[in-house]
Amino acid sequence: DIQMTQSPSSLSASVGDRVTITCRASQDISNFLNWYQQKPGKAPKVLIYDASNLETGVPSRFSGSGSGTHFTFTISSLQPEDIATYFCQQFHDLPYTFGQGTKLEIK
Amino acid sequence: QVQLVQSGAEVKKPGASVKVSCKASGYMFTSYYMHWVRQAPGQGLEWLGMIIPSGGSTNYAQQFQGRVTVTRDTSTSIVYMELSRLQSEDTAVYYCAREWGGAQVYFDHWGQGTLVTVSS
């Protein structure tokens, strides 16, 4: 199975800050990577697919980049409603494994 | 609009089985793959398996092989996930998730989740 390693596991930032989360794959997955946001008690919601494509309706402050084994997810200006846990997911091979998540809090 | 509505919470004893349902509506059921993902309390997301509703083909995570079975009923647009030989470590919220039908692979709609508690 492809292992996905996310960092950091938690992050505290202020409103307006630029926030970056990293995801590393244990092997080359090209751009077959998604980013999800999960708020407490809710199902995950896709924000970014194919490493850098913004899902329809998702604010443009969210972005993704990378290919191969190294990927980044960025919030350009943190908003209070962005408080959530963020997960990366590879879809290069089954099983479609997830990173362990990054819990984002407001400082 | 697309909706995935799951069955309610379950409490099971160790060694028992649980069957969770996911009723799809608002789209052509047989045209989209369906996946099952679980999340233990305070933990990350774990993929269990998937089904291609049109033909019924399945694929399971190796660690659940022999314990998980995903089936579908095309007449009612329901997908089922059955997990057997439950242990306390199987306590989790179980989600069904629809795979977007385009060239990209991502889960565009999710059920509300079903809490399965395994306790003696």
Side-chain angles (χ1 to χ4, degrees):
Chain A
D1 297 358
I2 297 175
Q3 306 302 316
M4 305 302 295
T5 304
Q6 245 180 278
S7 61
S9 56
S10 64
L11 178 56
S12 182
S14 300
V15 172
D17 281 355
R18 182 181 184 87
V19 170
T20 298
I21 298 169
T22 296
C23 187
R24 289 186 182 272
S26 60
Q27 66 185 70
D28 189 337
I29 60 170
S30 185
N31 66 331
F32 297 153
L33 185 104
N34 304 319
W35 290 96
Y36 295 85
Q37 176 193 64
Q38 186 180 32
K39 296 186 176 181
K42 300 293 186 182
K45 170 189 171 184
V46 67
L47 301 181
I48 303 285
Y49 63 91
D50 277 1
S52 60
N53 292 296
L54 196 66
E55 171 70 334
T56 302
V58 174
S60 59
R61 63 180 181 274
F62 296 101
S63 64
S65 65
S67 66
T69 62
H70 185 215
F71 302 86
T72 59
F73 171 82
T74 300
I75 306 173
S76 61
S77 178
L78 185 66
Q79 299 302 303
E81 60 267 31
D82 299 336
I83 297 314
T85 300
Y86 294 84
F87 295 93
C88 60
Q89 177 205 28
Q90 66 81 21
F91 59 95
H92 185 272
D93 290 329
L94 287 169
Y96 295 152
T97 43
F98 294 86
Q100 68 270 40
T102 296
K103 186 174 184 179
L104 182 54
E105 298 174 332
I106 293 285
K107 194 180 293 183
Chain B
Q1 74 281 21
V2 174
Q3 280 195 304
L4 302 177
V5 179
Q6 298 182 220
S7 49
E10 302 263 12
V11 179
K12 295 292 183 181
K13 293 193 181 302
S17 298
V18 68
K19 192 170 186 177
V20 180
S21 68
C22 171
K23 181 169 176 59
S25 62
Y27 70 96
M28 187 171 293
F29 176 72
T30 52
S31 295
Y32 294 81
Y33 301 177
M34 195 74 80
H35 298 254
W36 287 91
V37 175
R38 76 178 186 179
Q39 186 170 38
Q43 301 301 308
L45 300 167
E46 184 174 29
W47 184 86
L48 281 77
M50 66 173 289
I51 190 165
I52 300 175
S54 57
S57 298
T58 55
N59 194 300
Y60 303 124
Q62 188 168 7
Q63 64 265 38
F64 299 105
Q65 287 279 358
R67 276 214 305 145
V68 68
T69 305
V70 178
T71 57
R72 92 294 188 224
D73 182 339
T74 56
S75 67
T76 56
S77 299
I78 297 176
V79 174
Y80 299 93
M81 187 283 301
E82 184 170 20
L83 189 62
S84 62
R85 303 194 300 277
L86 291 168
Q87 298 300 317
S88 57
E89 309 85 79
D90 295 314
T91 294
V93 175
Y94 289 75
Y95 293 101
C96 59
R98 190 187 82 159
E99 179 182 318
W100 164 245
Q104 302 83 10
V105 176
Y106 59 91
F107 302 160
D108 65 344
H109 288 87
W110 297 64
Q112 82 276 20
T114 297
L115 176 61
V116 174
T117 302
V118 183
S119 174
S120 56

